[in-house]
Structures are given as structure tokens and as C-alpha cells.
Amino acid sequence: MRGPTFLFAIFAACISLAGAQDTTANVAVPVTAPSDAQPLWSTLLSFSIEQDRWPDWAGIDARNEFMHSALQNYADLTGSPPKFRVGADSEDHTMWSPTVTVNEDEFPPSSAITPYPEATQIVVGNEFYELSRWLPAGTHMIWGINLGYNNITNAVNMAKAIFNAFSLPSVTSSGVILERIEVGNEPDLYGDNGLRPADNWTVEDYVADWESVAGPVVESVGITSKVGPVTVQGAAFSGQGFTPREIFALGILGSTAGKDISTISQHQYSAAFCNGGDFGLISFMNKSSIRSNLTIFEADIAATYAQGLTYILGETNSVACHGAPGVSNTAGAALWVIDHTLFSSTIAIRELYFHEGVGYKYNFFQPITLNYSTIDGSPLNPPELPHIQPPYYGGLVVDTFVGSTGSAQVVELDVPNNNTSGYAAFEGGQLVRALFINLDAWTTNSTGTRPVVHLDLDFDGITTSYAMARRLVIQHADDTSNLTWAGQSYEQTSNVSPTGQLVLETVNLQQGIDIRATEAVLLTF
């Protein structure tokens, strides 16, 4: 971080916060890694970007400095920049043209529900892919290729343009690396979105279509192995409409392109705002719901690893169709990001790609100036400059917990409280960090005394005296700004650098720790 100052708050007793202790929970914290600990990948928290406005994220003649700084903050914490998948819905509306330089997009009208809609037609040229050079050095990319049009020539042209871009000196010298290609986005929805006949689009049809397009694609660019240097990302299903288990059973892994699949991707959202609606923040910030929304993938996760492949959520976020106002853009969503990401890691989901689009409500960051509201499409006067949103703080907490060694492991802690989650991180088999998230929603309409959960920590009978604590402080779950992480704000500068003193609390662990409703605390041992 950019030269922070430090403020140490030392407590002789447990940390006492505003309000009485409403609940006490006893939590066992292992000091050595249990046998079921899962690896914490440095790129656990990564990003999926809507393909249509990719140049806005990367920059064209020069890099987007705001975006670069926002991503570099994450890279500084883990030692690796987040990975970038460029694709999603507009992946299947993209055509390559030799006469276009960067891109030409056609957009439908804006609406109150969808102020910033996806393009219905994207025509791209070679320089579209060359913009990859503007991401932070060391970034690994996944590029999406159009399967929706069922046009082999176009898919092959897109693949060749991608590979040609990553062979150029300007891209190779940038340190940005092409890791995978993905042929088709959410093909289980093709029967609903008009890309295939609605009455008879089956998983068997999908496998046949995918093999017919992906086979020529991998042959045209010389992908020959699932161990790289460039491999194929498979499935990319919207949820459980089609499943990896089904396509494995249909023999996809034995096909020309299937043999090159290294990674299986599925997508996960908690709900959908496609037609509007009223979504409750309190019900969204729910420990049980977060787990039930993720454990539905466990059979596919197991089947994927049984094939020697890696499993990811290649697209995820709070509420589908760009997010729900009053939920996806709030401080409560920052806490959701933390619990959603870390619980995923404990069930062997190696990476989560949080989806972003210019003007989407659930974004971690808005990369360019916005001229109308993301909430209802009304004009903004003055326009809104590039800025982070509350979920960005969730990413800071996750990446601080992951650490920079690249070798950490994670387990979920059993916290006997319906609103509080806990995780422990290990390095070299030894406990190094623990994180607790209080999902109890304290909103602007809440009355009375703000609830507090007191945690008594048991370290396997070993006396551990002190830890250093960083706290994600939130005034209200429905706030859309004014969060602080370890005393610092990331909202006040144009380059996402932290402002304010870095607050590190020294905690007497024998007396426990308090966590207010709508708060997270990271302990470092």
C-alpha cells in the first residue's frame, strides 16, 4: 500500500464496542491445518468482464489508470493480479472483422431496470484483443469466443485474432498472459435467449454443437493439451440447467477440443433482477442462504476433480442482470462477497470470477465516468467519476486473508451463531490468520442498540495471548459509501490509494473479541 501511517489500538481486555454484548459464541480454532484444509489460490478472487465494453476497462491508447490502480491494490496483497475473463453474454454476440480496428457496438435503449444494457451486436478487430497489454503485469486472461452464432468461421477468426494479439511484442512484453479460451457463454440458456430453437435444445445438442465449433478452434491455434500453455475452459453453464456430469457422460472430454479442457466453469447468482423487483438486503445477508446457493455444485465439483480438472465459478456476483438496487451496491454486499468467496474456497472452488460491466449495480468498481444513474437511468449532473463501490472492500478483506505466499490453506470454523461466519488460514501447516464476518444487517432503519457478538476463541487448549486485528467498519448495511478497512478509506482518491491512518488493534485473545452487527474482523497471529 502507498506509504500508510499506523495507529495501534491496544486493549488490555476484550475489544468493547458500542452496545451491549447480545450473544456469546465459543469457537474452536485449530493451530495446525486439519486434513480437510483446502488450498487458497492467490487468484481466488478474480473478475469476469462483459466483452462489449472491454476497451473502457483496459484503455485504448493508454491504460485506464483508475482500473490499473484498483487491480494493483489487490495484486499487492496476494502477489498476483486477479485473473480476467472477458466474455459473458456479449461473448455470443461478437463478430470479428478485418475492417474494424477496435470495436463497433450496437446497444438497445437504456431503461430504468437496465440503465446500461449489453450490446446486441459487437464487431471487433485485431486491436480489440491487443488492449490486453494494459492490464497489470502478471495478469492471466480467459478470452470468450462466440458459440451462440454457430459460425465456425467466425469462431476460428476470433481465436486466431486472440492468439495473434498475444504473440505481439507489445503484449508479450507487458507480462499479461493468455491462459484459457472459452467457447460459448451459458449455452444452457440458448433455448431461452433465441440462439437455438426453444422447443428442443438439449444437452446432447449442446455437446454436438460445441465439439463442431471448438474442435476447429483449437486446431486453428494449436491448442493440443489440457496442461497448456493455453487450454480450454469448459461448460460455462448458467447454473444447473446443463451440468458437467452430463457432458462428461456424453464423452465431451474425448473430443478434439474436450481433450484440451483444463478447467470447468459454472455460474452462480443468488437471484435475478432481469425484470426488476424488490429484493431484501436483510434476507440476502444470510449465512445459510450463502451456503445453500453454493453446495448445490458439490456433485459437479467432485466429478470435475475426478477427471483431473480444476473447478471454478467463472461468473458470479450477487444478483443476476447487473444487480439489484439497495442490495448489490451496498455495504452489506461487501460482507456477502467475503463469505461467498471464502465458503466457496472451502468446498474446492479454486477461483471466483466476479462479473462486472460498465454501469452495473454490483460492480466492485466503475471504470469510467458515468452520465446517468446505475440505479434508475436518470441523468447525472454532474457526471459520476470512476470510483469503487462497497464490494471492493470485500475484495480487500479476502485478499488480505489469502496472503502473499501462494501456499495458504483454509478451513471454515464452526461458529455457533446463525449470523456469524469464521475461517482460518494456515501457512506451512500453522495457523496464521482467522476471519470473522457478522452478517446481521444493521441498517439505517434499525433501532435500539446495535447488536454485538462476543467470540470466545479456543486454540486447541494452547494458550495464545495476542493477535493483531484489522476491522471492516460499516455504519449501515444499506450504505453505499463511507466504509473503512483497518481505519482506511479507498474512496477519496482518483487512484484508489488508501487515506487515513492504518488502524491495527492488539487483541487479548484470552478475553475474546467483539464483532458488531454488519462488520468483519481479521486476526493475524
Side-chain angles (χ1 to χ4, degrees), residues 4 215 402:
V402 168

Side-chain angles (χ1 to χ4, degrees), residues 3 32 63 78 114 122 163 190 212 225 310 324 330 356 381 386 412-413 438 459:
T32 57
R63 72 189 189 189
T78 67
T114 311
I122 306 104
F163 271 70
Y190 285 179
S212 71
S225 169
T310 297
T330 67
E356 310 276 296
N381 185 18
E412 184 179 16
L413 299 174
N438 188 339
F459 296 90

Side-chain angles (χ1 to χ4, degrees), residues 203-204 207 243-253 303 307:
V203 68
E204 289 83 4
V207 169
T243 68
R245 287 166 289 157
E246 289 176 313
I247 63 174
F248 295 160
L250 291 168
I252 197 171
L253 298 179
Q307 296 289 343

